[in-house]
Amino acid sequence: MIYPGENLVIGQIGNIFTVVAFAGSFLSMVAYFMAEKTQDEGYLRLGRIGFLTHSLAVVGMVSTLFFMIFNQYFEYHYIWQHSNTEMPMKYIFSCFWEGIEGSFMIWTFWHVILGLILYRSVREWEAPVMSVISAVQFFMLSMLLGVVFFDYKLGSNPFTMLLREHPDFSALPIFENPNYTDAIDGRGLNPLLQNYWMVIHPPFVLFGYATAIIPFAYAIAGLLRKQFIEWVKPALSWTFFGIGVLGIGVLMGGAWAYESLSFGGFWAWDPVENASLVPWLTMVGAGHLMLIQRKKGVSVFSLFLLTTITFCLVQYASFLTKSGVLGDTSVHSFTDLGMTGQLVVSLLFFCFLSIYLIAVNFKKFPSQESEESITSREFWMFVSSLIMFVAAFIISFSTSFPVINKLFGTNLATSGERIDYYNQWITPFAIITALLLAIGQFLKYTKTDMKMFWKNLAISGLVSATITISIAIIMEMRNPIYISLLFTSSLAATSNTAYWILFLKGKMKAASASIAHIGFGLLLLGVLISTTQSEVISSNTSLYDISVLGDDFSNNENILLMQDDTLIMGDFFVSYRGKKEEDNFIHYEVEYMQPNKEGKLEKQFTLYPFLQLNPRMGNVAEPYTKHYLHKDIYTHISYAELEDRDEKATSEEHSIGIGDTIFTKTSFMIFDSLDRKATEKFTGIGANDLAIGAHFTLYDVNTQAHELTPLFVLQNREFPMTVSDSIPEAGIRLSFEGIDPEKESFNFRVVEEAPKFNDFIVMKAIVFPGINILWIGCIIMGLGSFLAVWQRIRRK
């Protein structure tokens, strides 16, 4: 069948770019390797041609996929899966890298950008370094080929997989229509990802991942050439550039979770979060070992280990997030597209390459000229790098439990309280790291005069002790572990500030390390205060039990707000004022008030937590936060009725005995007794009529009691009729329909009017004190990292 609406040419163009990019990487890899081996200029020129061809093809490949998403070619499965006509166009970039294929594509693009910069600046290291980069590109491009060899599909190609050819859709009757493209719309972007953070966070993290390739390539080049020290100098600036980029990318993820996801905080130790944090830790360790190597010899084995393992951990992070192995343990991992085998091969290749080259050269590594003094700066920098490595191992090991379980059939699992589990393990490492950051700047290379060291550190120690005691008293902090971290993180910030002011005279020329360490100390301080002192203020003060909504709803952590009711919540009185729908969003207006001097409530501010509606993928609650200088009030919707109830009046018959209960939608009533003298008590009944009354007690939704007495009447003691009774405010009318002597029961009819429900929401609110200390620390640490790179570039 011919499908005239399909745009097949653009897919063929994209596929050609993919094949050319793959071939170019292979040519560049082989040619550069031969150039290094033979020192032949011809191979070097061929390697350059191969890499430039590869680079142009990658740019063409990326541009083509953007063009297809922008023009909404839903006949392609990738475009259908990640885009639709209702999605705002500002999220077009998010559609690109939401899928595995797009994330690999943007990753290879960053490698191309970095490779082109190196191509012009790497000079005598060009052949081995560019060969390694091309090899990485070769493996990554294989993930996008989508070709089949002997029933095995190599990669997934977004340019060749049409929707009608996909196994999950090929049998659908819609494809019997030649013009099916006019009748389809895409599935759309995951609602969790329809946020501006999704536009900037993933590519930034992938850029951070990409930077790890440069120190790795230099390390492999050094091992190949047996130049075990010389590679450090050109790799140093790139390493700290990677520390800055990947660190900011990780922190962006925390900001995204805090601002846009209902994690209830900025970090949840999610496996995908861990996958990006772990290589950053080892990269920091590698960078500090490189600094030691510039000043004094260091363990070459440790230097190669941390540098190569950083790249291997980046590869491992790719495996964890893209193989589907974390599908049950992470909220934002990819599903398996059949690439697991390729991901494992790529990971093992570079791991074994590193292990092999380190092993064969181990005996040739230069030894240190002398033992490091315990009072030297390089000794404690080495210790801090080791601590980073151990912390990275612990996090990586726990994150890998799903992989271990799958490989060995075990049943390892972290505690159900994942955050507490990781905090328990990592907090001691944070304390030691902060302490080392505090003392490091006052230590000298080779050996330190300890009297001068303690003198220089005394003022900072005194200030930090004062800060620690003050905060501990004000916040009633009693945990010795937390107090220790409070002191060391304060000391890290104050001592590096003192060093910058007193020793560097406030100059920026050599202040990059001090600034980065100040930022890290503030970051740890902000994390400690905001997490340990956070308080859930939304305990339920309404008359309704929230736990009936499900096990996830606790009265201690959620408050039910009926529209226009005012309840106490923490230091505020809160009132839900209503909701407003805009496109796929429902915004809930929650007013916060406090009493003034006269005792009257005055509005302080209004928050608008909202729900993003997505009938295909599920609705998502997104938080809204009130920012103060010293704290944040963070809120999100836990439960809300999305549709107005359209109930109709009901009429039901009941046959019951005295003492039985009738239940309605909004109330219940108890049959108390019969009144056999109703003829005497009620007017309108003739002398020949016989009447019996039924006494009921009705309890409404507010547990208020009401009396009901319907009558059963025999006119002239022969013709039956009923005199109903009603409670208008409860919407109930009750009729006494008759008596069944054989069953000794009484028949009643209950008519219930459409109940009038007040709109309500269930909301969670958390106070995070000192959260801005964390964000300020993030900014300062990033500035320090990039300042270090800039200073080295200027010197170079």
Side-chain angles (χ1 to χ4, degrees), residues 179-230:
N179 298 310
Y180 78 92
T181 54
D182 298 330
I184 62 171
D185 192 3
R187 187 180 68 168
L189 190 66
N190 188 318
L192 280 172
L193 308 180
Q194 294 189 32
N195 183 277
Y196 69 92
W197 281 111
M198 178 58 183
V199 178
I200 58 176
H201 164 61
F204 216 94
V205 169
L206 291 172
F207 188 31
Y209 282 172
T211 59
I213 197 176
I214 298 180
F216 174 77
Y218 272 112
I220 296 298
L223 288 167
L224 289 172
R225 286 187 171 182
K226 304 188 186 308
Q227 296 179 6
F228 305 121
I229 304 299
E230 293 79 358

Side-chain angles (χ1 to χ4, degrees), residues 281-282 306 385-396 426 429:
L281 292 173
T282 56
L306 281 179
S385 298
L386 181 62
I387 290 171
M388 290 285 188
F389 175 75
V390 175
F393 173 79
I394 291 173
I395 298 172
S396 185
I426 299 303
F429 290 97

Side-chain angles (χ1 to χ4, degrees), residues 461-479:
L462 182 61
V463 172
S464 300
T466 304
I467 293 173
T468 301
I469 294 171
S470 301
I471 294 177
I473 292 174
I474 293 171
M475 296 190 169
E476 299 181 354
M477 192 179 293
R478 300 288 183 266
N479 189 314

Side-chain angles (χ1 to χ4, degrees), residues 37 57 165 225 233 296 309 328 331 461 497 516 695 788:
K37 187 175 182 180
E165 295 176 347
R225 286 187 171 182
K233 184 177 179 180
K296 190 176 182 294
I309 203 172
D328 296 330
V331 297
T497 302
H695 286 307

Side-chain angles (χ1 to χ4, degrees), residues 150-195:
F150 303 105
D151 295 329
Y152 179 77
K153 186 177 180 182
L154 187 67
S156 177
N157 192 327
F159 301 112
T160 59
M161 177 52 70
L162 295 171
L163 186 64
R164 59 180 169 84
E165 295 176 347
H166 194 278
D168 294 340
F169 300 93
S170 58
L172 294 179
I174 190 175
F175 298 116
E176 296 177 2
N177 177 10
N179 298 310
Y180 78 92
T181 54
D182 298 330
I184 62 171
D185 192 3
R187 187 180 68 168
L189 190 66
N190 188 318
L192 280 172
L193 308 180
Q194 294 189 32
N195 183 277

Side-chain angles (χ1 to χ4, degrees), residues 10 24 45 101 143 157 179 195 249 268 272-273 307 362 369 444 488 499 507 534 546 655 686 724 728 743 751 754 783:
I10 191 68
R45 288 192 294 271
E101 300 93 327
M143 309 289 179
N157 192 327
N179 298 310
N195 183 277
V272 176
E273 291 178 329
T307 304
F362 182 76
E369 297 178 2
K444 304 295 184 182
T488 55
Y499 184 84
K507 297 179 181 179
S534 64
I546 298 177
S655 180
S724 61
K743 296 182 179 180
V751 177
L783 289 175

